[in-house]
């Protein structure tokens, strides 16, 4: 089952509350799913109602909560500001900070110096295009073009390609395209789906039973996570992009309504 039209929050709440026999593992993307996009990624922070709802769900003894993001794990932890323990998967799942355990894909830091050199060159080459922003995540670099005019976007993308192509063609870096963002990552075969499987295994160990997985996401990179969850759990895509998720909500405000309803099951609606 995939969602071609928008679902109602109540429909999703009903499907989740019908799950009684398992612990629940709620995993969500951050930008574009939990939080509205901003021109500067640095300006995004989880709003208090969403923080409260996620913290309340994380505090339930049979629930685990996690955020799976393209940001660094420490960055997303700080921007979420959740109370209690949760999973924070950064760099599209290549690093995971869990309640009792940490994970990093082998050799993640091996290209650090090359990525920094490329990042500096990319920052110089794209600095003259207003609205184009180069984000340095230490182990990856991302060009954001959300705030750029179509013409500046085209020029910035062309400069980016010229400098990045040799390392992509050599197989050392891979290009991850997102919503108005081009990111260069170490070319390691590991995605958000692998991160979901790692977290599920760890949560099974912590709860002593397999958890019912829920995944919320908006971007192409989240499709790997939707596939990892499949029909064993529940998946929700945010926005109108074609997706393999089971349910669809229009925007992060609808995700807020979903989280608030789940956290306060008897609230009027
Ligand atoms: Mg996103």
């Amino acid at each position: 089952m995939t969602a071609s039209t928008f679902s109602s929050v109540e429909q999703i709440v009903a499907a989740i509350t019908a799950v009684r026999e398992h612990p629940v593992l709620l995993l969500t993307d951050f930008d574009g799913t939990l939080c509205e996009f901003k021109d500067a990624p640095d300006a995004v922070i989880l709003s208090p109602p969403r923080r409260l709802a996620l913290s309340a769900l994380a505090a339930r003894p049979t629930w685990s909560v996690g955020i799976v993001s393209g940001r660094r794990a420490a960055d997303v932890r700080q921007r979420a500001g959740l109370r209690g323990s949760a999973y924070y998967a950064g760099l599209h799942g290549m690093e995971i900070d869990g309640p009792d355990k940490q994970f990093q894909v082998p050799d993640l830091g091996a290209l650090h110096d090359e990525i920094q050199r490329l990042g500096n060159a990319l920052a110089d080459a794209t600095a003259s295009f207003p609205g184009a922003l180069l984000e340095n995540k230490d182990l990856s670099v991302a060009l954001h073009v959300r705030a750029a005019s179509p013409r500046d976007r085209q020029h910035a993308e062309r400069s980016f390609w010229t400098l990045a192509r040799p390392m992509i063609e050599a197989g050392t870096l891979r290009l991850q395209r997102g919503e108005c963002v081009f990111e260069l990552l170490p070319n390691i075969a590991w995605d958000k789906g692998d991160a979901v499987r790692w977290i599920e295994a760890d949560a099974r160990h912590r709860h002593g039973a397999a958890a019912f997985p829920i995944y919320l996401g908006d971007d192409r990179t989240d499709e790997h996570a939707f596939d990892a969850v499949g029909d064993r759990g529940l998946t929700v895509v945010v926005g109108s992009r074609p997706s393999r998720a089971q349910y669809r909500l229009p925007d992060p405000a609808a995700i807020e309504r979903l989280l608030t309803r789940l956290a306060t099951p008897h609230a009027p609606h």
Side-chain angles (χ1 to χ4, degrees), residues 159-177:
S159 304
F160 178 86
W161 265 115
T162 306
L163 286 166
R165 182 174 282 145
M167 284 182 82
I168 295 172
E169 287 180 350
T172 47
L173 294 184
R174 70 178 156 93
L175 179 72
Q176 177 90 69
R177 284 170 198 267

Side-chain angles (χ1 to χ4, degrees), residues 29 31-33 37 218-219 222:
D29 169 56
D31 295 85
T33 303
F37 287 112
D218 73 302
D219 211 334
D222 295 307

Side-chain angles (χ1 to χ4, degrees), residues 23-27 62-66 87 196 199-200 203 211-215:
V24 174
L25 174 62
L26 171 64
L27 299 176
T62 57
W63 280 55
S64 287
V65 165
Y87 291 92
V196 166
I199 295 172
E200 281 195 84
F212 179 83
I214 300 169
Y215 191 92

Side-chain angles (χ1 to χ4, degrees), residues 83-259:
R83 266 182 284 129
S85 60
Y87 291 92
Y88 298 92
L91 287 175
H92 308 280
M94 292 206 281
E95 58 177 9
I96 305 174
D97 188 2
D100 334 295
K101 224 169 147 185
Q102 278 81 41
F103 167 83
Q104 198 178 72
V105 287
D107 300 327
L108 181 58
L111 291 172
H112 173 270
D113 294 353
E114 282 101 318
I115 289 173
Q116 286 307 303
R117 269 196 295 278
L118 178 60
N120 291 337
L122 284 168
D124 288 345
T126 55
S128 55
F129 306 117
L133 178 81
L134 196 84
E135 184 188 10
N136 188 335
K137 306 187 201 178
D138 203 37
L139 298 176
S140 82
V141 288
L143 176 69
H144 296 264
V145 292
R146 181 174 302 278
S149 69
R151 190 185 148 80
D152 284 330
R153 184 181 291 205
Q154 203 180 24
H155 286 306
E157 286 175 18
R158 194 172 302 149
S159 304
F160 178 86
W161 265 115
T162 306
L163 286 166
R165 182 174 282 145
M167 284 182 82
I168 295 172
E169 287 180 350
T172 47
L173 294 184
R174 70 178 156 93
L175 179 72
Q176 177 90 69
R177 284 170 198 267
E179 180 68 31
C180 296
V181 57
F182 298 83
E183 183 166 4
L184 294 165
L185 293 154
N187 188 17
I188 298 169
W190 185 273
D191 57 37
K192 284 185 169 185
D194 296 299
V196 166
R197 284 183 279 269
W198 188 96
I199 295 172
E200 281 195 84
D202 190 65
R204 187 185 313 131
H205 181 72
R206 290 176 48 244
H207 289 294
F212 179 83
I214 300 169
Y215 191 92
L216 320 174
D218 73 302
D219 211 334
R220 278 184 257 189
T221 54
D222 295 307
E223 294 295 321
H224 298 295
F226 294 146
D227 290 340
V229 169
D231 292 333
R232 295 177 302 108
L234 185 145
T235 49
V236 183
V237 66
V238 175
S240 31
R241 184 183 54 73
S243 171
R244 295 187 289 278
Q246 299 156 5
Y247 296 91
R248 183 181 293 280
L249 289 174
D251 48 30
I255 292 290
E256 175 177 325
R257 290 196 294 279
L258 172 64
L259 296 176

